[in-house]
Structure formats: structure tokens, C-alpha cells
Coordinates of all heavy atoms in Angstrom, one line a residue:
A1 N 5.5 -9.8 -12.9 CA 4.4 -10.6 -13.4 C 4.9 -11.9 -14.1 O 4.3 -13.0 -13.9 CB 3.6 -9.8 -14.6
G2 N 6.0 -11.8 -14.8 CA 6.6 -13.0 -15.3 C 7.1 -14.0 -14.3 O 7.0 -15.2 -14.4
H3 N 7.7 -13.5 -13.2 CA 8.1 -14.3 -12.1 C 6.9 -15.1 -11.5 O 7.1 -16.2 -11.2 CB 8.8 -13.5 -11.0 CG 9.2 -14.2 -9.8 ND1 10.3 -15.0 -9.7 CD2 8.5 -14.3 -8.5 CE1 10.4 -15.5 -8.5 NE2 9.3 -15.1 -7.8
F4 N 5.8 -14.5 -11.3 CA 4.7 -15.1 -10.6 C 3.7 -15.7 -11.6 O 2.7 -16.4 -11.2 CB 3.9 -14.1 -9.8 CG 4.6 -13.7 -8.5 CD1 5.1 -12.4 -8.4 CD2 4.8 -14.5 -7.4 CE1 5.7 -11.9 -7.3 CE2 5.4 -14.1 -6.3 CZ 5.8 -12.8 -6.2
R5 N 4.1 -15.7 -12.9 CA 3.3 -16.2 -14.1 C 1.8 -15.8 -14.0 O 0.9 -16.5 -14.1 CB 3.3 -17.8 -14.0 CG 4.7 -18.4 -14.1 CD 4.6 -19.8 -14.2 NE 5.9 -20.4 -14.2 CZ 6.4 -21.3 -13.4 NH1 5.6 -21.8 -12.5 NH2 7.7 -21.7 -13.4
V6 N 1.7 -14.4 -13.9 CA 0.4 -13.7 -13.9 C 0.6 -12.6 -14.9 O 1.7 -12.3 -15.3 CB 0.0 -13.2 -12.6 CG1 -0.2 -14.4 -11.6 CG2 0.9 -12.2 -11.9
S7 N -0.6 -12.0 -15.2 CA -0.5 -10.8 -16.1 C 0.1 -9.6 -15.4 O 0.0 -9.5 -14.2 CB -1.9 -10.5 -16.7 OG -2.7 -10.0 -15.6
E8 N 0.6 -8.6 -16.3 CA 1.0 -7.4 -15.7 C -0.1 -6.6 -15.1 O 0.1 -5.9 -14.0 CB 1.7 -6.6 -16.8 CG 2.4 -5.4 -16.3 CD 3.1 -4.6 -17.5 OE1 3.2 -5.2 -18.6 OE2 3.5 -3.5 -17.2
A9 N -1.3 -6.7 -15.6 CA -2.5 -6.1 -15.0 C -2.8 -6.6 -13.6 O -3.2 -5.9 -12.7 CB -3.7 -6.3 -15.9
A10 N -2.6 -7.9 -13.4 CA -2.8 -8.5 -12.1 C -1.8 -8.0 -11.0 O -2.2 -7.7 -9.9 CB -2.7 -10.1 -12.1
V11 N -0.6 -7.8 -11.4 CA 0.4 -7.2 -10.5 C 0.0 -5.7 -10.2 O 0.0 -5.3 -9.0 CB 1.8 -7.2 -11.2 CG1 2.8 -6.4 -10.3 CG2 2.3 -8.7 -11.2
S12 N -0.3 -5.0 -11.2 CA -0.7 -3.6 -11.1 C -1.9 -3.4 -10.2 O -2.0 -2.6 -9.2 CB -1.1 -3.0 -12.4 OG -1.5 -1.6 -12.3
K13 N -2.9 -4.3 -10.3 CA -4.1 -4.3 -9.5 C -3.8 -4.6 -8.0 O -4.3 -4.0 -7.1 CB -5.2 -5.3 -10.1 CG -6.5 -5.2 -9.5 CD -7.4 -6.1 -10.3 CE -8.8 -6.1 -9.8 NZ -9.8 -6.9 -10.5
R14 N -3.0 -5.6 -7.9 CA -2.6 -6.0 -6.5 C -1.8 -4.9 -5.8 O -2.0 -4.6 -4.6 CB -1.7 -7.3 -6.5 CG -1.4 -7.9 -5.2 CD -2.7 -8.4 -4.5 NE -2.4 -8.6 -3.2 CZ -3.4 -8.5 -2.2 NH1 -4.6 -8.1 -2.5 NH2 -3.1 -8.6 -1.0
L15 N -0.9 -4.3 -6.5 CA -0.2 -3.1 -6.0 C -1.1 -2.0 -5.6 O -0.8 -1.3 -4.5 CB 0.9 -2.7 -7.0 CG 1.9 -1.7 -6.6 CD1 2.7 -2.3 -5.4 CD2 2.9 -1.4 -7.7
K16 N -2.1 -1.7 -6.4 CA -3.0 -0.5 -6.1 C -3.8 -0.9 -4.8 O -4.0 -0.1 -3.9 CB -4.0 -0.3 -7.2 CG -3.4 0.4 -8.4 CD -4.5 0.7 -9.4 CE -3.9 1.4 -10.6 NZ -4.8 1.6 -11.8
R17 N -4.2 -2.2 -4.7 CA -4.9 -2.5 -3.4 C -4.0 -2.5 -2.2 O -4.5 -2.0 -1.2 CB -5.4 -4.0 -3.6 CG -6.7 -4.1 -4.4 CD -7.2 -5.5 -4.3 NE -8.4 -5.6 -5.1 CZ -8.9 -6.7 -5.7 NH1 -8.3 -7.8 -5.4 NH2 -9.9 -6.6 -6.5
L18 N -2.8 -2.9 -2.4 CA -1.9 -2.7 -1.2 C -1.6 -1.3 -0.8 O -1.6 -1.0 0.4 CB -0.6 -3.4 -1.5 CG -0.6 -4.9 -1.5 CD1 0.8 -5.5 -2.0 CD2 -0.9 -5.5 -0.2
R19 N -1.5 -0.4 -1.8 CA -1.2 1.0 -1.5 C -2.4 1.7 -0.9 O -2.4 2.6 -0.1 CB -0.8 1.7 -2.8 CG 0.6 1.4 -3.2 CD 1.1 2.1 -4.3 NE 2.5 1.7 -4.6 CZ 3.1 1.8 -5.8 NH1 2.3 2.3 -6.9 NH2 4.3 1.5 -6.0
A20 N -3.7 1.2 -1.3 CA -4.8 1.8 -0.8 C -4.9 1.6 0.7 O -5.6 2.4 1.5 CB -6.0 1.2 -1.4
Y21 N -4.4 0.5 1.3 CA -4.4 0.3 2.7 C -3.2 0.9 3.6 O -3.2 0.8 4.8 CB -4.5 -1.2 3.0 CG -5.8 -1.8 2.6 CD1 -5.8 -2.6 1.4 CD2 -6.9 -1.5 3.2 CE1 -7.0 -3.1 1.0 CE2 -8.2 -2.0 2.8 CZ -8.2 -2.9 1.6 OH -9.4 -3.4 1.2
Q22 N -2.3 1.6 2.8 CA -1.2 2.2 3.5 C -1.6 3.6 3.9 O -2.4 4.3 3.2 CB 0.0 2.2 2.6 CG 0.7 0.9 2.3 CD 1.9 1.1 1.4 OE1 1.9 2.1 0.6 NE2 2.8 0.2 1.4
L23 N -1.1 4.0 5.0 CA -1.4 5.4 5.5 C -0.5 6.4 4.7 O 0.6 6.0 4.2 CB -1.0 5.5 6.9 CG -1.9 4.8 7.9 CD1 -1.3 4.9 9.3 CD2 -3.3 5.2 7.9
P24 N -1.0 7.5 4.4 CA -0.3 8.5 3.6 C 1.0 8.9 4.3 O 1.1 8.7 5.5 CB -1.2 9.7 3.5 CG -2.6 9.2 3.9 CD -2.4 8.0 4.7
E25 N 2.0 9.3 3.5 CA 3.3 9.7 4.0 C 3.2 10.8 5.1 O 4.0 10.9 6.0 CB 4.2 10.1 2.9 CG 4.7 9.0 2.0 CD 5.6 9.4 0.9 OE1 6.2 10.6 1.1 OE2 5.7 8.8 -0.1
S26 N 2.2 11.6 4.9 CA 2.0 12.7 5.9 C 1.8 12.2 7.4 O 2.1 12.9 8.3 CB 0.8 13.6 5.5 OG -0.3 12.9 5.3
F27 N 1.4 11.0 7.5 CA 1.2 10.3 8.8 C 2.5 10.1 9.5 O 2.6 9.9 10.7 CB 0.4 9.0 8.7 CG -1.1 9.2 8.8 CD1 -1.8 9.9 7.9 CD2 -1.8 8.8 9.9 CE1 -3.1 10.1 8.0 CE2 -3.1 8.9 10.1 CZ -3.8 9.6 9.0
D28 N 3.7 10.1 8.8 CA 4.9 9.9 9.4 C 5.3 10.9 10.3 O 6.1 10.7 11.2 CB 6.0 9.6 8.3 CG 5.8 8.4 7.4 OD1 5.0 7.5 7.9 OD2 6.4 8.3 6.4
K29 N 4.8 12.2 10.1 CA 5.2 13.3 10.9 C 4.4 13.3 12.2 O 4.7 14.0 13.2 CB 4.9 14.6 10.2 CG 5.7 14.8 9.0 CD 5.4 16.2 8.4 CE 6.2 16.4 7.1 NZ 5.9 17.6 6.5
L30 N 3.4 12.4 12.4 CA 2.5 12.5 13.5 C 2.9 11.5 14.6 O 3.5 10.5 14.3 CB 1.0 12.2 13.1 CG 0.4 13.1 12.0 CD1 -1.0 12.7 11.7 CD2 0.5 14.6 12.4
T31 N 2.5 11.8 15.9 CA 2.7 10.8 16.9 C 1.6 9.8 16.8 O 0.7 9.9 16.0 CB 2.5 11.5 18.3 OG1 1.2 12.0 18.5 CG2 3.5 12.6 18.5
L32 N 1.7 8.7 17.5 CA 0.7 7.6 17.4 C -0.7 8.1 17.8 O -1.7 7.8 17.2 CB 1.0 6.4 18.3 CG 2.3 5.6 17.8 CD1 2.6 4.5 18.7 CD2 1.9 5.0 16.4
K33 N -0.7 9.0 18.8 CA -2.1 9.6 19.3 C -2.6 10.5 18.2 O -3.8 10.5 18.0 CB -1.9 10.2 20.7 CG -1.6 9.2 21.8 CD -1.6 9.9 23.1 CE -1.4 8.8 24.2 NZ -1.6 9.4 25.6
Q34 N -1.8 11.3 17.7 CA -2.2 12.2 16.5 C -2.7 11.4 15.4 O -3.7 11.8 14.8 CB -1.1 13.2 16.1 CG -0.8 14.2 17.1 CD 0.4 15.0 16.6 OE1 1.4 14.5 16.1 NE2 0.4 16.3 17.0
Q35 N -2.1 10.3 15.1 CA -2.5 9.4 13.9 C -3.9 8.9 14.3 O -4.7 8.8 13.5 CB -1.5 8.3 13.7 CG -0.3 8.7 13.0 CD 0.7 7.5 12.9 OE1 0.4 6.4 13.3 NE2 1.9 7.7 12.3
K36 N -4.1 8.4 15.5 CA -5.3 7.9 15.9 C -6.5 8.9 15.9 O -7.6 8.6 15.4 CB -5.2 7.3 17.4 CG -6.4 6.5 17.8 CD -6.2 5.8 19.2 CE -7.4 5.0 19.6 NZ -7.2 4.3 20.9

């Protein structure tokens, strides 16, 4: 947050949004067709 000159809450909020769009780790065990 200090590096980007924003609040710590802004970094936390941005991180949560990014993680929400990531597939769960359990998807790593699946083939692409199984993921689809």
C-alpha cells in the first residue's frame, strides 16, 4: 500500500477481487475438458 500510495484497505480489497476470479486449487487436478 505504501509503494502504491494507497490505503492498506484498498490493497486488501483489490486482492480479494483478484482471488475471486481465480479458479480454486482443486481445478489443477482436472483436464481442460473436465474444467469446462
Side-chain angles (χ1 to χ4, degrees):
H3 174 79
F4 290 110
R5 297 185 188 129
V6 296
S7 68
E8 190 176 344
V11 170
S12 178
K13 191 174 182 180
R14 186 68 194 145
L15 190 57
K16 282 182 185 177
R17 282 190 181 155
L18 288 174
R19 287 184 178 154
Y21 293 108
Q22 290 179 335
L23 293 175
E25 288 181 22
S26 55
F27 269 68
D28 294 342
K29 295 181 181 179
L30 305 180
T31 65
L32 290 176
K33 289 185 178 189
Q34 287 174 324
Q35 288 178 1
K36 191 173 181 181

